[in-house]
Amino acid sequence: MGRSNRERTEQTRRALVDAGRRLFVEKGYAETATPEIVAAAGVTRGALYHHFEDKKALFQAVIASEAQAVAKSIEASSAPGDGPRVALIAGASAYFAAMAQPGRTRLLLMEAPAVLGWPAVAALDAENAEVSLRHGLAALLPEAGGLLGPLTTLLSAAFDRAAIAIEAGGERRDYEKAIAALVDGLADQLRR
């Protein structure tokens, strides 16, 4: 029994996203040409343009896939009975573990803002990892009120900078402790 058209379509799309990811990590977006992508995916140029408007649309699909994988890791990190602080710290650890996937920091934190622009990257983050962070902060800091949005944005930026520092050789444990200190400091400050 043959595969359905839908299965073939999904397999072709997945091959393009996987090949695109490998090449974008290896060479960067600007240095990756569409003929290389189709050759690496084992598909025709027509298949690429059937699934994606252009190279940028493929890149956006790669970035969305990476962001969703990070969000899933974070969501899977906390147990139902965890308190808000424990859940936030577990989420931080899960974020750093997810960002340790080879090439992910480069794709999400360096290439994506340059290629897609900050507003598109911020929107993608808001739909993925930042959702868990915002919920965690809301549970931990019910008194945050109107500061919840800015606190989420600032803490998210701290996570991203930490991931870049870890990628560059920083000690992950130190950054996890620093994030915990930031979270505890926020809680202490807002409860005064």
Side-chain angles (χ1 to χ4, degrees):
M1 182 183 228
R3 294 175 305 159
S4 69
N5 281 344
R6 184 177 182 177
E7 288 170 327
R8 279 193 299 277
T9 296
E10 184 50 40
Q11 185 175 22
T12 301
R13 188 178 196 290
R14 183 84 250 151
L16 285 162
V17 169
D18 290 347
R21 184 198 191 281
R22 276 192 314 278
L23 289 165
F24 295 142
V25 167
E26 183 183 313
K27 302 176 77 173
Y29 175 83
E31 298 301 316
T32 300
T34 54
E36 294 174 282
I37 296 168
V38 297
V43 301
T44 65
R45 195 172 175 93
L48 170 66
Y49 293 111
H50 173 76
H51 291 278
F52 301 101
E53 182 181 339
D54 54 18
K55 181 173 83 166
K56 188 174 179 180
L58 171 61
F59 181 76
Q60 193 158 4
V62 168
I63 296 304
S65 175
E66 293 294 308
Q68 290 161 4
V70 171
K72 283 179 186 166
S73 295
I74 293 168
E75 289 166 20
S77 70
S78 65
D82 288 347
R85 183 187 181 280
V86 170
L88 265 171
I89 302 308
S93 183
Y95 173 78
F96 294 138
M99 292 304 286
Q101 177 77 22
R104 190 168 276 161
T105 298
R106 177 181 184 175
L107 287 172
L108 289 177
L109 303 182
M110 292 171 219
E111 294 276 340
V115 175
L116 303 175
W118 179 243
V121 172
L124 196 58
D125 197 29
E127 295 169 6
N128 289 286
E130 212 171 272
V131 171
S132 296
L133 179 58
R134 186 181 187 97
H135 288 311
L137 287 174
L140 182 67
L141 309 170
E143 55 280 297
L147 292 179
L148 183 62
L151 287 171
T152 301
T153 300
L154 290 171
L155 199 53
S156 179
F159 276 98
D160 292 350
R161 288 301 297 264
I164 291 168
I166 293 165
E167 174 91 358
E171 185 60 48
R172 180 174 151 190
R173 257 189 327 270
D174 292 342
Y175 285 94
E176 288 182 6
K177 287 178 188 172
I179 290 288
L182 278 174
V183 167
D184 292 342
L186 280 172
D188 290 346
Q189 191 64 37
L190 286 173
R191 290 184 181 128
R192 286 184 182 165

